[in-house]
Amino acid sequence: MSFTYKVLVSDMELLAAALSEINVTVAVKSGAGIVEPGGPIRAYTPNSVRIRGLSYNRELHEFRVNGERN
């Protein structure tokens, strides 16, 4: 069994994740690693996503939903 993730990019994907209250991992797009290990999205704008009281720039970070793959 391997693990994979989906990167949330569109407003619709972010809205669905926020409404589902699933954990979203925040990573730096430049490949510097994971910034936030996971939490539900509390708000988002065209420029940022708020998770656990912190706002992350959408151009600098990617937002991942973990999934399981067989």
Side-chain angles (χ1 to χ4, degrees):
M1 182 182 314
S2 64
F3 291 91
T4 187
Y5 61 86
K6 174 173 178 27
V7 177
L8 306 176
V9 178
S10 71
D11 286 343
M12 187 63 85
E13 291 170 328
L14 292 169
L15 175 62
L19 292 174
S20 300
E21 294 188 358
I22 58 175
N23 284 335
V24 176
T25 302
V26 181
V28 178
K29 283 186 178 180
S30 66
I34 303 295
V35 176
E36 174 65 55
I41 294 173
R42 295 299 177 205
Y44 67 92
T45 70
N47 299 318
S48 66
V49 175
R50 179 171 293 208
I51 296 174
R52 293 190 181 197
L54 298 173
S55 292
Y56 299 95
N57 186 299
R58 286 175 70 171
E59 289 188 25
L60 301 176
H61 299 91
E62 68 180 22
F63 307 94
R64 302 173 179 177
V65 177
N66 292 326
E68 196 175 296
R69 207 170 118 191
N70 293 331

